[in-house]
Amino acid sequence: MRFCVVSVLFTLFIITNLQSQSTEEDAIRSVIEAETHAFVNKSFAEVARLYWILDEKTLLNVTATDGTDVQVVADDIRSQTDAPPPNHALVEKTNFRYIINGNMAAATNEQVVTIKESGYKLYSSEVRFMEKVDGQWRIHRSSVHHYEK
């Protein structure tokens, strides 16, 4: 009987933790998807204001297909006020993976951006480091690595 009670409690503990993890993963993915949707419609400064933590540790690292590496810090992000044409691109994100530890998380995914006018496709692997602030997940660092297919 005692074993049965312990087994039931352990099972409930595991289920609760898995549901909690799933809820956090859903919340993180929701922020990433919203940030990406905003990115193809708004200025980077506006996107960052909505979804990023902008401080001295903020960093966006982008590696182009030719190996060129660009690092953008918070002040640079704030100055990016030009917006792209609305809905100029379609974005598909797949293969999300998460590591969550308390108020910190890392999320990875693959992305394909299709420019509507030309049909050009841009492929990337992405990593976002996120922090939960006042109950909301925010992006603190992002690393985008473009590749050709």
Side-chain angles (χ1 to χ4, degrees):
M1 179 68 171
R2 184 178 204 176
F3 176 76
C4 185
V5 170
V6 170
S7 294
V8 169
L9 290 175
F10 180 73
T11 302
L12 289 174
F13 174 77
I14 295 297
I15 290 171
T16 301
N17 282 337
L18 289 175
Q19 288 173 337
S20 176
Q21 176 83 7
S22 177
T23 301
E24 293 298 338
E25 289 175 0
D26 291 345
I28 290 167
R29 184 174 180 153
S30 178
V31 169
I32 293 169
E33 295 278 10
E35 185 252 4
T36 300
H37 177 73
F39 192 78
V40 299
N41 291 294
K42 300 177 186 252
S43 73
F44 193 26
E46 179 68 9
V47 172
R49 186 185 66 73
L50 294 170
Y51 301 104
W52 283 62
I53 296 169
L54 294 174
D55 63 17
E56 70 282 352
K57 294 180 263 175
T58 301
L59 180 68
L60 168 62
N61 184 69
V62 180
T63 304
T65 56
D66 67 359
T68 304
D69 189 57
V70 177
Q71 294 188 343
V72 184
V73 297
D75 287 341
D76 298 330
I77 292 170
R78 287 186 194 98
S79 71
Q80 306 267 336
T81 57
D82 292 335
N87 297 308
H88 72 286
L90 298 172
V91 180
E92 179 185 5
K93 291 184 177 298
T94 59
N95 299 325
F96 277 87
R97 304 257 190 301
Y98 307 91
I99 298 171
I100 303 169
N101 187 359
N103 288 336
M104 300 297 291
T108 63
N109 65 274
E110 299 296 314
Q111 176 175 280
V112 180
V113 176
T114 305
I115 306 301
K116 286 183 179 179
E117 284 184 11
S118 66
Y120 177 76
K121 292 185 183 288
L122 185 61
Y123 300 89
S124 62
S125 295
E126 302 183 343
V127 179
R128 284 185 179 75
F129 297 95
M130 302 178 71
E131 187 174 341
K132 198 173 201 181
V133 178
D134 297 328
Q136 300 297 314
W137 286 103
R138 310 271 298 182
I139 300 164
H140 209 171
R141 287 183 173 227
S142 182
S143 189
V144 179
H145 305 278
H146 295 286
Y147 60 91
E148 293 185 20
K149 238 179 176 183

